[in-house]
């Protein structure tokens, strides 16, 4: 524990840990690691907790071959397919979530990137949502360019979601229809357009702990302050349908190590949280301080009411 306490104190003084130091945390006792990570969360973030919900704004027939994804046209899955939603269902869902106490809401679309015409449609939708509902707005529209991000930002969208998914080294094993740097460039374009960025990855897609740490370090270098941690929920028909599910303890360790690397970030339990026996409670006591609530894109999630009860029970306050 002396090593972890020493590292914690250096981080309190503004130190950024390196890869070698992070890798040493992999073998540290989990209880002590989680305890210190939680102390760091309280030190840097207090009891603030960020809850967001998502709507599947466009589903299926994606041109990309990401091996985990039910929406890829490369695989035979039973996912529902439909084009970009009209304004009303997006607005209705935003108002429903806001009335449940959710402060952040994201429209997520399938595909490599929205077309200019789709961006313009979504801009008009988000203008209306922004005017009628005080919820904070996010968009996950793929590999957009700076001009497209600017249009969305001017419409009231404050944040862009674009997961790196995994490390630079491991990415070619996960997807070959676009590159890791395409992701990085989209993140930088969103930042240039004045938007904050939410970016993380999926755990359980054949990556090593080194890959996970490499991704966290990349996110730190990019200045990302909202980091979703997804747990693979193997989907029948995808190349990862038979992947072994990670243990609850391994997810807990990932969360704690991420707090050491990204001490000021909102570390967000995202897709697959329902696979955890305690729905993420131990992770929220190990450095995590944000979550996606409600249904995910193609799988069921945890109800908003259940999450709100857990957040209150753990002593967090919605930010």
């Amino acid at each position: 524990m002396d090593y972890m306490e020493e590292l914690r104190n250096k981080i309190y003084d503004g130190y950024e840990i390196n890869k070698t130091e992070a890798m040493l945390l992999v073998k540290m006792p989990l209880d002590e690691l989680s305890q210190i990570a939680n102390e760091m969360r309280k030190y840097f973030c207090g009891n603030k907790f960020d809850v967001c919900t998502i709507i599947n704004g466009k589903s299926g027939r994606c041109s990309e071959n990401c091996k985990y994804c039910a929406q890829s046209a490369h695989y035979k899955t039973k996912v529902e397919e439909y084009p970009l939603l009209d304004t009303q269902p997006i607005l209705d869902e935003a108002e429903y979530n806001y009335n449940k106490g959710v402060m952040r809401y994201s429209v997520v679309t399938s595909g490599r990137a929205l077309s200019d015409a789709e961006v313009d449609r979504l801009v008009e939708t988000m203008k209306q949502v922004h005017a009628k509902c005080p919820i904070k707005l996010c968009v996950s529209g793929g590999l957009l360019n700076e001009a497209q991000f600017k249009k969305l930002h001017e419409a009231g969208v404050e944040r862009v979601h674009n997961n790196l998914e995994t490390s630079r080294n491991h990415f070619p094993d996960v997807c070959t229809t676009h590159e890791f740097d395409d992701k990085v460039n989209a993140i930088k374009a969103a930042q240039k357009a004045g938007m904050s960025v939410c970016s993380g990855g999926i755990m359980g897609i054949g990556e090593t702990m080194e890959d996970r740490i490499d991704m966290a370090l990349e996110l730190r270098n990019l200045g990302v302050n909202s980091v979703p941690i997804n747990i693979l929920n193997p989907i029948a028909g995808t190349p990862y349908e038979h992947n072994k599910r990670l243990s609850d303890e391994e997810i807990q360790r990932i969360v704690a190590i991420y707090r050491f690397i990204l001490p000021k970030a909102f570390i967000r339990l995202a897709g697959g949280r329902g696979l955890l026996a305690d729905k993420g409670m131990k992770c929220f006591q190990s450095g995590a301080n944000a979550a996606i609530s409600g249904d995910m894109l193609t799988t069921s999630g945890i109800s908003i009411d259940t999450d709100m009860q857990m957040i209150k029970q753990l002593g967090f306050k919605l930010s």
Side-chain angles (χ1 to χ4, degrees), residues 20 37 42 299:
T20 300
K42 291 178 182 177
T299 58

Side-chain angles (χ1 to χ4, degrees), residues 12-216:
Y12 283 174
D13 289 335
Y15 179 72
E16 293 186 337
I17 72 170
N18 58 43
K19 181 175 176 177
T20 300
E21 291 166 326
M23 288 297 294
L24 288 174
L25 298 174
V26 176
K27 299 297 183 183
M28 294 293 162
L30 181 57
D31 287 347
E32 288 87 343
L33 176 69
S34 295
Q35 177 188 328
I36 292 176
N38 203 41
E39 290 171 4
M40 292 171 60
R41 185 269 304 167
K42 291 178 182 177
Y43 180 87
F44 286 106
C45 307
N47 287 324
K48 292 180 181 178
F49 196 98
D50 187 77
V51 176
C52 68
T53 53
I54 61 177
I55 184 171
N56 196 357
K58 176 187 174 186
S59 183
R61 302 306 300 169
C62 180
S63 62
E64 307 307 284
N65 66 355
C66 307
K67 291 180 180 177
Y68 53 82
C69 188
Q71 300 200 60
S72 172
H74 294 257
Y75 316 125
K76 293 182 179 180
T77 64
K78 297 180 180 180
V79 70
E80 187 178 2
E81 298 176 9
Y82 52 83
L84 186 65
L85 293 176
D86 293 329
T87 297
Q88 197 59 50
I90 293 175
L91 174 59
D92 290 346
E93 192 73 7
E95 291 177 332
Y96 171 82
N97 290 322
Y98 181 74
N99 290 333
K100 285 280 189 179
V102 175
M103 301 302 293
R104 188 178 297 280
Y105 173 65
S106 181
V107 179
V108 183
T109 59
S110 67
R112 180 184 178 93
L114 293 174
S115 67
D116 284 334
E118 288 173 323
V119 168
D120 289 342
R121 278 187 58 201
L122 188 56
V123 162
E124 293 306 311
T125 291
M126 299 312 263
K127 282 181 180 177
Q128 292 191 49
V129 176
H130 184 59
K132 295 177 180 179
C133 183
I135 202 164
K136 297 174 184 176
L137 298 176
C138 310
V139 164
S140 181
L143 304 174
L144 302 181
N145 59 45
E146 185 179 347
Q148 292 170 318
F149 284 132
K150 279 184 177 178
K151 286 183 178 181
L152 288 164
H153 189 36
E154 289 167 358
V157 180
E158 67 166 39
R159 177 174 288 174
V160 166
H161 169 264
N162 192 321
N163 274 344
L164 291 182
E165 307 302 2
T166 189
S167 70
R168 180 182 295 275
N169 182 62
H170 184 235
F171 191 87
D173 294 330
V174 178
C175 177
T176 59
T177 49
H178 60 270
E179 297 180 354
F180 187 85
D181 279 324
D182 293 323
K183 297 272 195 180
V184 172
N185 291 337
I187 288 170
K188 290 180 177 178
Q191 291 169 329
K192 286 181 181 178
M195 306 173 88
S196 65
V197 172
C198 178
S199 183
I202 304 176
M203 309 301 164
I205 56 176
E207 80 287 351
T208 64
M209 189 62 86
E210 183 177 4
D211 287 317
R212 298 163 188 162
I213 287 170
D214 282 344
M215 185 181 74

